[in-house]
Amino acid sequence: MIELQDVTKVYNEGRQNAFAAIRGVGITVGNDLTAVFKGPSGSGKTTLLTLIGCLARPTSGRVTLNGETISGLPEKFLTEIRRKTFGFVFQRFNLIRGLSARENVMLPAYPLGLDHAALTRRADELLDHLGLGSKGGLSVEHLSGGEAQRVAIARALVNDPEYVIADEPTANLDTKLTAQFLDIVRTLRAEGKTVIMTSHDPRIWQADIVDRVITLEDGLLTADERGAHAA
Amino acid sequence: MIRQVARQRYLIDFTLASMMRRKVKNVVLFGVYFLIVFVLASVMLFGSAIRREAALLLANAPEVTVQKLVMGRHDMISGEHLEALSAIRGVRRAEGRLWGYLFDRGNGANYTMMVPPASDTTHAVGPGEAIVGSGIDRVKTIGRNEYLFLIAPSGRFFKFTVKERLPEGSGLVAADLVLISEADYRALFDLPDGVYTDLALSIRNEKEVATILGKAAKAVPNSRFVTRSSIARTYESIFTWREGVLLALLGAAILSFAILAFDKASGLSAEERREIGILKAVGWETSDVLTSKFWEGALISLGAFLIGLIAAYAHVFFFQAGLLEPVLKGWAVLYPDFRLTPHIDPLQVTTLAFFTIVPYTAATIIPIWRAAITDPDTVMR
Amino acid sequence: MIFHPPILAILLASTLSLVTLVWASGFAARLVRKWDVASGHAGQIALEKRTYLVSTALVFVLALEAVSLILFTENAERMSVLFVGAMCAIGTLNVNAYGFPALILKVALFFGAAVWLIVNHADGLGRDYPLTRFKYGLLIALSPLVVAVAAVQFAYFYNLRADVITSCCSRVFVPNAGGLEADLSSLDPAFALGLLFGGLGVIAVLALAALRWRAGRLAYAAVSLVYFAAGISAVISVVSPYIYEQFHHHCPFCILKPEYGYIGYWLYLPLFVGTSAGLGLGALSLKRTPASLQEALPPFRRRLILTSLAGFGLFGAVALTAILRSNLIMFG
């Protein structure tokens, strides 16, 4: 369970173009399996996602993970926690071109120095699981949009995280692929993983698997509703 | 520990793949790096090989040479001092030497003319005979008749039978050497009997040189005493000095190389920046990126260094340092073709590393760090 | 000044170390005032990022100094041809008054950088980087040393003139010649051997104490430094004559030559490692163990103690082997 207490994030602090993307937000996530942040562009939902996922440190306020304060940790330790707790799926997938799908999946585990054979096996299992079993050796620029996203999801899962964080996961997908994505989320949810997303996409908020929809505006929480599933 | 090793292996794998993706940039850098190592290594290997030649040569030189000075200039010395000098305790032998240079107008070369010392029985030459160095053979067609024709400074014509040729590779000085008998020498240069170019003393125990010099100075006034160790010192310092000056001049090249390295390292492409952002976002830490970049530098450095060094080694020892010879070798025109003895010295390799790997590393630390501290959330902005 | 490539290389290295450390101490001064690890403000995050640069740069400086130290002695060895009466490094270092001070300061700087990196590593084990202020204080303390090294070394090279008559090792290290070096070589060989091997015993006992008490660790560090000096003295007084198989040859540098199988490196390298680890242990024990290091520090300290013991032990073993293999008989 991740708890944010009175968290503020200021970008370009101390400069002329400083602005507060998140202004004193308090929220607890993780007790519901699937949560979606929605809101207009610039409402701060992506920033909030980076704070929850420990990609960034709050300017002020406190973040705790299962009761332990992690907001004051230096990068080294924060990264350690992030690596084993969160997996990330980005809007533009952010795969590394020139590497194979398998290598992309293995990438987050490189700093852990795991056994190579075991790690390769794990990556292949994940790809297989996501229907890409035959494409592991293919360089990622040869993959379609849907396949690229599934590689990105496999990469997010390689360290077996408790949370999967996805930023606008369906922004680049058509209806069919969106449905496919939601199926994957359903499976993850069934496996007990918490999925936290931001989205503009009504197909997401209204999906039956979403437990909670949180609305942001101007860096503040404005609504926190049960999702279609819970209702 | 095993994890650390495995981590390094993963990082090296990744780095190699990443370098392969940016071939052009890395090839350019590698090329310049290689060139710098090649030039510096050539200078240093050549310099030290020459110094070694000189040292080998000197091993056979007399411990002390006595020269007559007139108005501060070297003059012919009378042989009558020989008796007094050989009487000094500790002097094994005192001999008069005849040697000088003969300019050959025909081909613009300078020959070193010399009378072999009486003690040197292997190179004894009779009247009308000559022993020549390998260089002479090249500039002057001696031909099948084995005759060497020389024009004396007075204009007279001399003919010698070439008795023997000195073997190739016997060193720097032997190349232009012509050994003739004492009588021929005096005739060639119109020298009176009883004078010598200088006197050579061989001394039993090198530690006594200082004492002997004191006594000899009294016996032979108006003269200068040159010891073997002082010649060695002078050679050593002249050659290292030249090498040092050349290196200092090359300092400009090293500096521009460092600037290039800095520029290449800081001018990350958008693609590369994006990659580092992704790595940071998916769970790499600053030190992981630093380590990966460190490997990149190490692979380029070691590769360029080794290949550059090997190429320089070949250049100096198999191709006679064709590119550098005129700068380093000295004044004579005759020497192009002798082979340096291959030799390499760890001190030199270390020094070379200091002039290449150190500037490269220093120039790339800051850009690498700048890249590595990319915020992990940049990919989401 | 002699324009000699290795000299230029050493000067380049010392200039780089100087620039790096002066810059780093400027940063350190700012860090010591402003460091607040728990803050998420831009200033703190920028400081934290910069610490990566400092650590990397210090690793670079340590590597430079280590190689530069080797280069310095090897070059002194080589340059002895240039000086009348100098037959090895001793002669070259004695050409002017700055030679030996430069060498000693370089050794000190090497230890300083090694200790800093050990503290730096320990600091990174604690979740709140508990030693950061201490470590940057140490860095500031190190900067006068690097200035001194650069200055004395430059003075040494600048005042090198070929042909100055110098004493060479066979003269300097002959007993009764006076001076510190002579004192070291006239050290009674039996006493020096006692120091060498008895010292190892003392170190082993102290290592046990160091595992348990802070005072033991501090004592261990002090004794490592003393043992370093004792080790060098013993090399000069007894070990090197055994290696050269000559009663009166006491040079501590000639053993680095290939003629003696580079045995000098086998002696000095472990000795330096042992001393560095011991000193690092001491630096870590100057303060009480911070709360966040209660778990992580003791294993690291154990590793330091073991490394140090192994270093000193190897040094002793190599010295013993050299003595046993020698045909020289000094006692009996």
Side-chain angles (χ1 to χ4, degrees):
Chain A
M1 198 153 76
I2 308 153
E3 194 178 357
L4 277 65
Q5 295 168 15
D6 195 20
V7 162
T8 301
K9 178 71 186 175
V10 181
Y11 286 112
N12 304 322
E13 195 188 354
R15 278 188 257 159
Q16 287 242 296
N17 56 350
F19 75 101
I22 292 292
R23 302 184 290 158
V25 167
I27 188 174
T28 304
V29 287
N31 41 1
D32 312 283
L33 288 178
T34 314
V36 178
F37 290 103
K38 68 172 190 176
S41 301
S43 60
K45 55 187 189 308
T46 297
T47 303
L48 193 58
L49 210 57
T50 64
L51 292 172
I52 290 170
C54 301
L55 280 171
R57 278 159 69 175
T59 309
S60 65
R62 180 204 287 265
V63 181
T64 59
L65 174 69
N66 302 329
E68 186 196 358
T69 303
I70 54 170
S71 45
L73 288 180
E75 187 204 313
K76 181 180 163 193
F77 296 100
L78 199 61
T79 310
E80 256 171 38
I81 290 172
R82 173 154 52 89
R83 205 158 39 204
K84 58 182 189 218
T85 317
F86 302 98
F88 297 90
V89 179
F90 306 103
Q91 183 178 352
R92 278 168 309 230
F93 314 140
N94 281 327
L95 299 176
I96 292 187
R97 281 195 276 270
L99 293 184
S100 69
R102 184 186 297 118
E103 283 167 327
N104 265 286
V105 173
M106 288 160 71
L107 215 49
Y110 278 7
L112 295 173
L114 304 175
D115 175 61
H116 192 266
L119 180 56
T120 314
R121 214 175 317 119
R122 164 108 183 116
D124 283 341
E125 273 167 22
L126 284 167
L127 286 170
D128 207 31
H129 199 58
L130 290 164
L132 292 168
S134 58
K135 311 238 165 161
L138 224 56
S139 187
V140 290
E141 35 310 5
H142 303 306
L143 299 177
S144 70
E147 287 169 337
Q149 185 181 49
R150 278 179 284 152
V151 172
I153 294 171
R155 181 178 65 185
L157 296 173
V158 72
N159 286 332
D160 196 18
E162 198 179 327
Y163 299 86
V164 174
I165 289 186
D167 185 27
E168 301 283 358
T170 56
N172 296 325
L173 303 181
D174 61 21
T175 312
K176 192 175 150 226
L177 288 174
T178 301
Q180 200 177 56
F181 172 74
L182 286 170
D183 281 342
I184 294 170
V185 174
R186 185 169 294 116
T187 321
L188 292 176
R189 196 172 169 278
E191 286 165 2
K193 299 208 185 297
T194 301
V195 181
I196 303 167
M197 294 177 273
T198 62
S199 188
H200 272 106
D201 186 348
R203 291 173 298 187
I204 295 283
W205 323 325
Q206 288 155 13
D208 59 347
I209 46 150
V210 170
D211 301 289
R212 187 178 174 193
V213 178
I214 302 148
T215 314
L216 271 103
E217 252 169 81
D218 286 335
L220 293 169
L221 297 188
T222 52
D224 190 344
E225 305 148 272
R226 303 275 85 192
H229 177 74
Chain B
M1 199 62 195
I2 296 163
R3 289 222 153 171
Q4 271 306 310
V5 175
R7 170 177 172 256
Q8 300 296 347
R9 264 198 47 202
Y10 280 118
L11 294 180
I12 293 173
D13 273 359
F14 177 80
T15 307
L16 271 174
S18 151
M19 284 164 73
M20 293 311 275
R21 267 175 278 140
R22 279 173 273 278
K23 273 197 202 83
V24 178
K25 172 183 162 179
N26 284 310
V27 163
V28 170
L29 186 64
F30 192 88
V32 178
Y33 206 150
F34 162 80
L35 216 63
I36 286 274
V37 174
F38 173 74
V39 172
L40 290 180
S42 295
V43 170
M44 295 178 71
L45 286 176
F46 187 79
S48 83
I50 290 263
R51 268 180 285 146
R52 259 172 66 88
E53 289 296 311
L56 286 178
L57 195 94
L58 274 176
N60 300 319
E63 282 85 359
V64 178
T65 315
V66 187
Q67 301 171 332
K68 184 180 181 190
L69 289 186
V70 173
M71 296 176 290
R73 297 182 62 96
H74 182 193
D75 200 0
M76 301 302 288
I77 189 163
S78 158
E80 63 201 22
H81 301 301
L82 284 171
E83 208 171 319
L85 287 171
S86 36
I88 298 173
R89 269 180 68 127
V91 175
R92 190 188 307 153
R93 192 169 54 235
E95 280 180 317
R97 298 197 306 176
L98 283 169
W99 58 271
Y101 304 109
L102 180 73
F103 183 69
D104 185 341
R105 242 164 282 158
N107 50 33
N110 230 342
Y111 305 144
T112 301
M113 307 298 297
M114 199 171 161
V115 177
S119 51
D120 180 3
T121 46
T122 51
H123 292 123
V125 279
E129 288 177 348
I131 295 177
V132 298
S134 54
I136 310 279
D137 209 3
R138 236 177 327 99
V139 296
K140 210 159 172 88
T141 350
I142 294 174
R144 278 200 303 183
N145 297 336
E146 303 287 309
Y147 289 132
L148 171 70
F149 296 96
L150 294 175
I151 302 166
S154 60
R156 275 171 64 201
F157 212 62
F158 282 83
K159 180 176 125 184
F160 297 97
T161 316
V162 175
K163 178 189 166 202
E164 190 191 332
R165 282 162 218 221
L166 293 172
E168 181 111 20
S170 62
L172 196 49
V173 170
D176 67 344
L177 195 62
V178 179
L179 297 175
I180 52 177
S181 69
E182 181 170 346
D184 289 335
Y185 192 94
R186 291 190 192 277
L188 185 69
F189 290 107
D190 281 328
L191 287 182
D193 284 349
V195 297
Y196 294 95
T197 313
D198 52 27
L199 308 178
L201 304 185
S202 67
I203 283 169
R204 234 168 246 126
N205 181 351
E206 192 145 10
K207 283 188 179 145
E208 290 171 19
V209 166
T211 336
I212 291 169
L213 284 187
K215 291 180 190 164
K218 277 191 203 127
V220 192
N222 290 330
S223 52
R224 170 167 74 176
F225 297 85
V226 182
T227 60
R228 181 164 70 190
S229 59
S230 70
I231 302 176
R233 222 158 30 240
T234 313
Y235 265 6
E236 178 80 14
S237 66
I238 283 180
F239 282 122
T240 48
W241 185 81
R242 274 198 203 168
E243 212 178 305
V245 169
L246 209 60
L247 277 182
L249 292 177
L250 287 171
I254 297 174
L255 189 67
S256 26
F257 165 63
I259 292 170
L260 176 85
F262 176 83
D263 191 57
K264 286 274 173 202
S266 46
L268 288 186
S269 62
E271 179 69 21
E272 243 176 308
R273 247 174 242 293
R274 201 183 129 256
E275 275 185 27
I276 293 172
I278 296 172
L279 293 175
K280 294 290 290 272
V282 301
W284 285 38
E285 203 236 323
T286 301
S287 47
D288 298 320
V289 181
L290 280 176
T291 313
S292 146
K293 285 279 170 186
F294 159 78
W295 282 117
E296 183 176 327
L299 290 170
I300 290 191
S301 283
L302 288 181
F305 189 80
L306 281 180
I307 297 178
L309 189 62
I310 291 167
Y313 187 87
H315 170 223
V316 170
F317 296 117
F318 304 137
F319 298 98
Q320 284 79 47
L323 305 171
L324 289 174
E325 214 160 19
V327 196
L328 279 170
K329 215 184 266 176
W331 50 269
V333 290
L334 261 189
Y335 302 120
D337 216 41
F338 75 102
R339 236 154 231 253
L340 293 161
T341 327
H343 170 71
I344 199 154
D345 164 6
L347 177 73
Q348 265 187 323
V349 177
T350 318
T351 307
L352 184 64
F354 262 76
F355 282 116
T356 50
I357 297 178
V358 167
Y360 175 80
T361 314
T364 49
I365 281 186
I366 291 180
I368 285 176
W369 165 77
R370 253 186 222 296
I373 55 165
T374 307
D375 285 318
D377 58 345
T378 41
V379 289
M380 286 175 70
R381 283 184 205 159
Chain C
M1 178 84 186
I2 293 176
F3 235 19
H4 196 66
I7 294 183
L8 296 178
I10 294 167
L11 289 177
L12 174 75
S14 93
T15 311
L16 280 174
S17 306
L18 180 70
V19 170
T20 310
L21 265 159
V22 166
W23 162 80
S25 344
F27 167 70
R30 207 172 57 189
L31 179 135
V32 169
R33 272 182 288 118
K34 302 212 171 127
W35 183 256
D36 172 16
V37 76
S39 157
H41 286 282
Q44 170 63 22
I45 289 176
L47 279 182
E48 199 188 307
K49 284 178 171 173
R50 202 149 277 242
T51 58
Y52 281 96
L53 180 57
V54 174
S55 312
T56 312
L58 260 283
V59 172
F60 179 56
V61 166
L62 179 75
L64 267 185
E65 285 305 317
V67 184
S68 159
L69 194 59
I70 297 173
L71 206 57
F72 188 82
T73 47
E74 283 286 331
N75 177 56
E77 184 75 53
R78 248 24 107 69
M79 287 212 315
S80 55
V81 202
L82 291 175
F83 308 102
V84 175
M87 283 165 127
C88 75
I90 302 269
T92 314
L93 290 176
N94 263 328
V95 171
N96 62 46
Y98 302 107
F100 274 103
L103 179 66
I104 292 166
L105 284 170
K106 277 177 88 72
V107 171
L109 180 58
F110 174 85
F111 284 139
V115 165
W116 194 86
L117 287 172
I118 289 170
V119 175
N120 183 42
H121 180 83
D123 184 38
L125 297 173
R127 281 194 155 196
D128 54 354
Y129 289 173
L131 301 172
T132 300
R133 275 214 167 75
F134 171 64
K135 141 182 124 180
Y136 280 91
L138 212 61
L139 191 67
I140 297 175
L142 219 53
S143 57
L145 188 58
V146 74
V147 174
V149 169
V152 174
Q153 194 169 258
F154 182 75
Y156 170 60
F157 287 132
Y158 185 77
N159 291 306
L160 269 190
R161 310 234 189 281
D163 265 347
V164 179
I165 302 259
T166 65
S167 353
C168 88
C169 54
S170 58
R171 262 182 252 168
V172 179
F173 285 100
V174 167
N176 309 327
L180 176 68
E181 294 97 329
D183 287 346
L184 286 177
S185 61
S186 67
L187 202 66
D188 177 45
F191 176 69
L193 277 185
L195 214 55
L196 177 63
F197 296 110
L200 280 180
V202 175
I203 282 191
V205 171
L206 273 176
L208 290 177
L211 285 171
R212 301 200 54 176
W213 303 289
R214 190 156 78 100
R217 293 191 281 279
L218 289 170
Y220 186 91
V223 169
S224 328
L225 195 60
V226 173
Y227 189 72
F228 177 74
I232 301 271
S233 320
V235 167
I236 295 172
S237 150
V238 287
V239 182
S240 60
Y242 271 115
I243 295 172
Y244 307 128
E245 302 189 342
Q246 278 177 16
F247 249 119
H248 296 297
H249 198 180
H250 287 285
C251 180
F253 296 106
C254 295
I255 51 175
L256 296 169
K257 288 187 190 175
E259 294 96 291
Y260 304 104
Y262 298 108
I263 191 172
Y265 287 104
W266 286 99
L267 279 168
Y268 294 137
L269 227 57
L271 189 61
F272 272 77
V273 169
T275 312
S276 301
L279 290 175
L281 181 74
L284 287 176
S285 308
L286 285 175
K287 295 178 72 177
R288 286 191 183 287
T289 310
S292 57
L293 284 177
Q294 289 296 356
E295 265 181 41
L297 196 53
F300 180 57
R301 278 198 304 243
R302 243 188 326 274
R303 254 167 55 206
L304 282 177
I305 294 171
L306 285 178
T307 309
S308 173
L309 273 181
F312 288 134
L314 189 57
F315 167 74
V318 173
L320 187 64
T321 317
I323 292 172
L324 291 180
R325 272 177 38 193
S326 172
N327 295 317
L328 181 76
I329 297 165
M330 267 186 136
F331 305 96

